Each structure stands twice: as C-alpha cells, then as structure tokens.
Amino acid sequence: MLPYIFILLFLAAAVLNLTGTKGHDRLFKATKPVLLLLLCLYCLFRGLPKPDLLLIGALFACGVGDVLLMLKGDKWFVSGGVSFFIGHVLLILVFAGRLDTYNNIFYGISCLAIPYIITACVIMFITRKNTPKAMIVPMLLYLLCNGIMNAFALLCLIRSPAVGMRVPSADEIRQTVCCALSYAGAVLFFLSDCALFLMRYGGDKKRFYKTDFFVMLTYISGTFLITVGLVPLW
C-alpha cells in the first residue's frame, strides 16, 4: 500500500509543480525538490526486500540536479548537469542489467544512438551563439549520454520477450509493455533536456517547447514512465 501512496503524492506534486510554471514561483520551487524523492521512496518500498539501488541512485542524482538547476547562474546549471549526467550513467547501467545477452551490444547501441547523436549536434548548433564557449562540449557530451541511455532503453524493448515471431505468454507481454513504458520515458527525458537547452540558450523567440511548462511536463512524464517501467505498479 505504501508504494502507491508515494505514487499518488508524486502525481499530486507533479500537478502542483506544473501549475507553478504558470507564474506561481513559490509553488514551483516548493514542489520541484520532492518529485524525484517520492519516486525514490516508491522504488525503495516497492522493491523490498531487494530494491534496485542503481535506479534509486539514478533518480536521487536527478533530484539533486533539480535542486541545483533552481539556483541562478551558469555554474549551478553546470553543477546540475553533472548530477544529471551521473543519473544517466546509472540509468545506462540499469538498462544494461536488464538485457538478457550482450551479443553485438556495441553495434546495436551504435546504430540506435545515431538519431540522438544527430539531434544533440543540431541542438548545440542552434544554441552555439548564446552558450558560453566553455560549456558547449560538456553540454554536448551530456546530451550524448542521454542519447546512449535512450539507445539502451530501446535495445531492451527490441530484445524484450514479446517482440518476435512466436505467440508470447501473458508474462512476456507484461515485460514488453514495461520496456515500452521505460523507453517512452527515456525519449521524453531527452526531449525535456533538448527543450531546456533551447529555452536557456536558443534565443528569445517564443515557442511552446521553450517554456518551463513543456520542460517540466516532459521531464516529469519521462521520469515517471522510466520508473514504473522498471519497477512496475502491478
């Protein structure tokens, strides 16, 4: 029962946080730090007696990044990026641990990461004029790390048991649905980071995706889907 209470609290905090992006700064700042903490608690109690500590560590690192990004200044933005980078590395390890075999994994990841590599380069090209020169390479490396995390999540989906010619069992369908949810979450996480970079360094031209609401909507949805995909509700 307790894990579901944490999920309900997360959803409530998410709604309040998104409401806070519409000019309610205090509400936004009050709810943002608790979002990933609640997902950590869900994973901890849902996974007992053997919770996924790597996943909890990844979510916690992202939660620390959330707090750092709330502080003004490029140094805090970089510090938050480092924390999120650690979170993505841990998520890569989580997804890698879910693969049933590592045959041709380098080839598979290399191919699946190509769209993300291209997108990351395009984002950095668009933001190059307003981004401090010392931050261009770190930001690119960060987006590439996020893209590699996405590639691992996609490879888990491709290799899931229900993806094949034979008729899958109910448990295999369930596993594949979970893989699909976590991959969808990874994609949203990538979109959120791209939107954040565009909002911060992409110029003043207004776009819907260059708003706090869009960044947080994709981020919250992404982390939620990754979590419930890797640690299912049912």
Side-chain angles (χ1 to χ4, degrees):
M1 183 65 183
L2 194 56
Y4 302 107
I5 293 177
F6 288 126
I7 285 294
L8 290 175
L9 289 174
F10 169 81
L11 295 175
V15 172
L16 292 174
N17 184 263
L18 291 174
T19 302
T21 63
K22 299 296 186 178
H24 305 284
D25 195 51
R26 290 185 179 179
L27 183 61
F28 178 79
K29 291 181 178 179
T31 53
K32 193 179 182 185
V34 305
L35 291 168
L36 274 292
L37 177 61
L38 290 168
L39 289 183
C40 286
L41 291 171
Y42 164 76
C43 291
L44 175 64
F45 287 96
R46 184 73 177 91
L48 289 175
K50 294 182 178 181
D52 191 332
L53 296 180
L54 274 179
L55 177 57
I56 293 173
L59 294 173
F60 182 78
C62 292
V64 172
D66 275 338
V67 175
L68 293 174
L69 289 184
M70 291 170 63
L71 304 174
K72 295 183 178 180
D74 287 336
K75 67 176 183 179
W76 295 115
F77 187 76
V78 172
S79 299
V82 170
S83 189
F84 274 105
F85 185 90
I86 294 171
H88 286 307
V89 171
L90 293 176
L91 283 174
I92 288 172
L93 296 177
V94 171
F95 284 118
R98 303 297 175 102
L99 293 171
D100 56 351
T101 176
Y102 293 101
N103 293 336
N104 301 318
I105 187 171
F106 179 79
Y107 175 77
I109 293 299
S110 299
C111 293
L112 295 175
I114 289 175
Y116 298 96
I117 294 173
I118 294 173
T119 302
C121 291
V122 170
I123 294 296
M124 294 315 302
F125 179 80
I126 293 173
T127 59
R128 72 192 186 284
K129 292 182 179 179
N130 297 319
T131 303
K133 291 183 178 180
M135 292 174 56
I136 291 177
V137 173
M139 284 172 58
L140 176 61
L141 291 176
Y142 171 80
L143 282 181
L144 292 176
C145 183
N146 192 332
I148 292 172
M149 184 270 289
N150 269 260
F152 269 93
L154 180 54
L155 189 59
C156 286
L157 175 58
I158 292 172
R159 291 187 176 182
S160 59
V163 178
M165 298 300 293
R166 62 184 179 82
V167 178
S169 66
D171 187 61
E172 289 174 336
I173 293 175
R174 172 183 170 277
Q175 292 180 47
T176 300
V177 169
C178 289
C179 288
L181 288 175
S182 59
Y183 173 61
V187 172
L188 288 169
F189 206 150
F190 187 78
L191 288 176
S192 177
D193 282 336
C194 291
L196 176 62
F197 287 5
L198 290 171
M199 181 179 72
R200 192 176 180 95
Y201 300 113
D204 297 329
K205 195 171 183 178
K206 292 184 178 181
R207 291 286 188 272
F208 171 68
Y209 56 82
K210 293 166 63 175
T211 60
D212 286 325
F213 180 83
F214 183 85
V215 170
M216 290 307 299
L217 177 63
T218 48
Y219 171 66
I220 290 170
S221 302
T223 52
F224 175 73
L225 290 176
I226 289 174
T227 301
V228 297
L230 293 171
V231 184
L233 289 165
W234 59 92

